[in-house]
Amino acid sequence: MEVDYLFQIGDNIVYPMHGVGIIKAIEDKEISGKNQQYYVINMLLGNMQVMIPTDKILSSRIRPVTDILALKHIIHIFQHGESDRLLTWKQRYKVNTDKIKTGNIQEGAEVIRDLMRMKKEKALNTSEKKMLDNAHEFLISELGVIKGITDHQINSFC
């Protein structure tokens, strides 16, 4: 019996809050007495391996790596768009965390843009600095595996 999987072995994926990974295997595992199939994913950042049940992959918000065509839109986000300067840092932190959790590259780019703008005006608090560093690292790791992107284009986001 052949099964149609959303992802195949060798696919590059993005796992929200974890970054880019590669599907290394699809395995049957018995965990807590229940036999299920799992995607085995090697994450590029942090050198960690995660296993996600194949039937939970959609709810995990894992997505394929963005293609080069989306890059123009991401560049536009960096250059344009308004930052909400009226939010307190706690409100801004929650909004930004929610954006990153979506796994959407455009929303992640908005977080980076807004925090970079703020950093130019004043020092970020420790939580926002860590958020900026993580979001930036996630974006750069994804850009690094997009087919057709140049190092020059990647470095423009640094």
Side-chain angles (χ1 to χ4, degrees), residues 21-150:
I22 299 170
I23 306 287
K24 283 298 184 190
I26 301 171
E27 298 178 355
D28 287 323
K29 294 276 186 189
E30 184 178 328
I31 298 178
S32 300
K34 186 177 179 187
N35 195 23
Q36 277 190 291
Q37 288 194 315
Y38 289 83
Y39 284 105
V40 180
I41 305 167
N42 286 352
M43 302 307 297
L44 299 182
L45 300 174
N47 198 24
M48 123 177 117
Q49 186 176 77
V50 295
M51 292 176 43
I52 300 176
T54 55
D55 63 346
K56 302 279 188 216
I57 201 76
L58 291 175
S59 63
S60 70
R61 295 189 173 172
I62 287 179
R63 64 172 173 78
V65 169
T66 301
D67 61 23
I68 194 150
L69 298 176
L71 193 57
K72 285 184 182 181
H73 184 64
I74 295 163
I75 291 169
H76 181 78
I77 287 171
F78 268 94
Q79 295 171 343
H80 307 286
E82 292 299 317
S83 304
D84 190 345
R85 299 180 188 279
L86 299 177
L87 298 176
T88 66
W89 84 264
K90 286 183 181 182
Q91 292 169 323
R92 188 174 53 249
Y93 187 83
K94 179 173 180 353
V95 167
N96 287 338
T97 299
D98 291 344
K99 284 181 176 184
I100 292 171
K101 283 182 180 179
T102 68
N104 181 296
I105 193 169
Q106 288 86 4
E107 292 196 20
E110 289 173 7
V111 170
I112 295 166
R113 176 201 65 207
D114 294 348
L115 290 176
M116 287 176 78
R117 285 178 181 171
M118 287 188 58
K119 185 177 177 181
K120 287 180 182 177
E121 295 173 12
K122 63 179 181 178
L124 298 175
N125 66 43
T126 304
S127 298
E128 287 185 314
K129 182 177 179 350
K130 183 174 177 162
M131 177 181 282
L132 174 58
D133 291 344
N134 288 339
H136 190 257
E137 189 174 32
F138 294 158
L139 177 63
I140 295 300
S141 70
E142 181 170 1
L143 294 175
V145 297
I146 295 174
K147 292 185 183 350
I149 192 170
T150 66

